[in-house]
Amino acid sequence: MESYSVDVAAIAYKLKDTANWWRDIKGSRLWQDRIFHILAALYGLVAAVALVQLIRIQMRVPEYGWTTQKVFHFLNFLVNGVRALVFVFRRSVQNLHPEIVQHILLDMPSLAFFTTYALLILFWAEIYYQARAVSTDGLRPSFFTINAVVYTIQIAMWLILWWKYIPVLVILSKMFFAGVSLFAALGFLLYGGRLFLMLQRFPVESKGRRKKLQEVGYVTTICFTCFLVRCIMMCFNAFDKGADLNVLNHPILNLIYYLLVEILPSSLVLFILRKLPPKRGITQYHPIR
């Protein structure tokens, strides 16, 4: 019994020590800057990888214009590059007024991240419907319409908040983006799942079948998980001040969040999709139209 009491006391002490450590980092300007600079370096690295891959693709097939693959890598470079700059100047961003400017600089890359990976869903949807001899004429207009609606609603809320700060509207803005993230997660589950099942039905001896199966399976799992985690975190962010990401004194939460929902997924997807397109004349390659 005495040994049990000692163990409980030791555990309680460790928990208290951990809580103090967390609180010390939250309140430390030095640790805040270190973590934000780490995030900036990681985003900068991902942006550089995306840019290098974009250049390699352009050198491989210079005769084509902006293909889906090129646009995807360019948007990855853009999103991660902007994020890197925001975290380099994170403390200056926090001091910008009106406050809505802070929300725009912190949240606009998230919208661009949605567009980047929605493009991947579009690409898979086109492959799936073309393989089933179904018309894909409505897919691209739908892609542009969905993005236009998302950006219009979000920008409208920002403009209202610029005119008059309404706390309820801030919550609605975060919940709206949680809904957008859930929509993206379901998109990956739907079209990634469909494409995966379709590839499974191909003959075993089909060239590249196993590799494509793994590619689609891994990317679907990664992207579905990252958008679902973002959706859940945005819900907490909307209603719990302790989960607020747009403040300086939550550096560890920022590190965990951005690692899970942007840096790691982007890094893994860029690695999985690193294969260059075939040279002209080897096989057919479809540019974006």
Side-chain angles (χ1 to χ4, degrees):
M1 188 70 178
E2 185 177 344
S3 175
Y4 176 75
S5 299
V6 171
D7 290 341
V8 170
I11 292 170
Y13 177 79
K14 287 180 180 179
L15 288 173
K16 183 179 179 182
D17 193 47
T18 302
N20 289 336
W21 171 81
W22 180 280
R23 190 163 49 249
D24 289 344
I25 289 181
K26 282 173 60 177
S28 169
R29 184 187 178 97
L30 177 63
W31 272 105
Q32 289 170 7
D33 290 340
R34 280 177 178 174
I35 290 174
F36 291 138
H37 289 156
I38 288 170
L39 283 170
L42 291 173
Y43 272 115
L45 180 61
V46 177
V49 169
L51 181 60
V52 168
Q53 186 68 351
L54 175 61
I55 294 169
R56 291 178 69 210
I57 295 168
Q58 177 60 25
M59 292 175 68
R60 185 69 172 258
V61 283
E63 61 273 15
Y64 293 114
W66 282 97
T67 63
T68 304
Q69 194 177 25
K70 289 179 184 178
V71 174
F72 176 76
H73 283 86
F74 173 73
L75 288 175
N76 262 295
F77 163 70
L78 192 65
V79 169
N80 288 283
V82 171
R83 279 282 192 218
L85 289 174
V86 168
F87 278 112
V88 165
F89 301 105
R90 184 66 183 84
R91 197 167 293 280
S92 299
V93 169
Q94 193 69 27
N95 294 326
L96 291 174
H97 293 285
E99 189 177 335
I100 189 59
V101 177
Q102 301 172 26
H103 289 284
I104 292 172
L105 287 173
L106 292 168
D107 295 340
M108 183 59 83
S110 298
L111 288 177
F113 186 86
F114 163 76
T115 300
T116 304
Y117 285 85
L119 185 66
L120 191 54
I121 297 173
L122 169 68
F123 181 62
W124 284 356
E126 287 180 331
I127 293 174
Y128 175 77
Y129 286 123
Q130 285 170 1
R132 295 176 64 89
V134 177
S135 174
T136 60
D137 292 344
L139 289 178
R140 288 179 186 267
S142 297
F143 169 79
F144 290 117
T145 301
I146 290 169
N147 276 274
V149 169
V150 168
Y151 280 80
T152 300
I153 293 173
Q154 185 62 70
I155 290 170
M157 286 193 281
W158 283 336
L159 289 174
I160 294 171
L161 286 169
W162 198 323
W163 170 64
K164 184 178 181 181
Y165 187 82
I166 307 171
V168 174
L169 196 58
V170 175
I171 294 173
L172 285 176
S173 176
K174 292 176 180 179
M175 290 304 298
F176 171 71
F177 196 73
V180 169
S181 300
L182 180 61
F183 181 74
L186 294 176
F188 274 105
L189 193 62
L190 177 63
Y191 287 107
R194 282 180 170 182
L195 192 57
F196 183 84
L197 293 174
M198 185 183 74
L199 288 169
Q200 274 190 324
R201 291 195 291 269
F202 279 15
V204 175
E205 63 274 11
S206 293
K207 187 179 179 181
R209 170 185 175 275
R210 182 182 180 85
K211 189 171 182 180
K212 282 296 178 186
L213 263 176
Q214 290 177 339
E215 182 182 293
V216 172
Y218 289 151
V219 173
T220 298
T221 303
I222 291 165
C223 293
F224 170 76
T225 303
C226 96
F227 279 105
L228 186 62
V229 169
R230 186 190 285 271
C231 172
I232 294 168
M233 281 298 298
M234 289 306 295
C235 290
F236 279 109
N237 186 10
F239 297 104
D240 186 356
K241 286 282 187 183
D244 192 355
L245 295 162
N246 294 346
V247 292
L248 291 175
N249 61 349
H250 290 161
I252 299 176
L253 185 62
N254 272 262
L255 180 64
I256 295 169
Y257 174 77
Y258 287 109
L259 272 175
L260 289 178
V261 304
E262 287 186 2
I263 296 171
L264 279 177
S266 295
S267 303
L268 291 171
V269 171
L270 287 172
F271 175 76
I272 294 168
L273 303 180
R274 69 191 181 280
K275 184 180 178 182
L276 294 175
K279 290 182 179 178
R280 188 173 186 177
I282 296 176
T283 188
Q284 192 176 9
Y285 182 56
H286 298 282
I288 233 175
R289 292 182 177 88

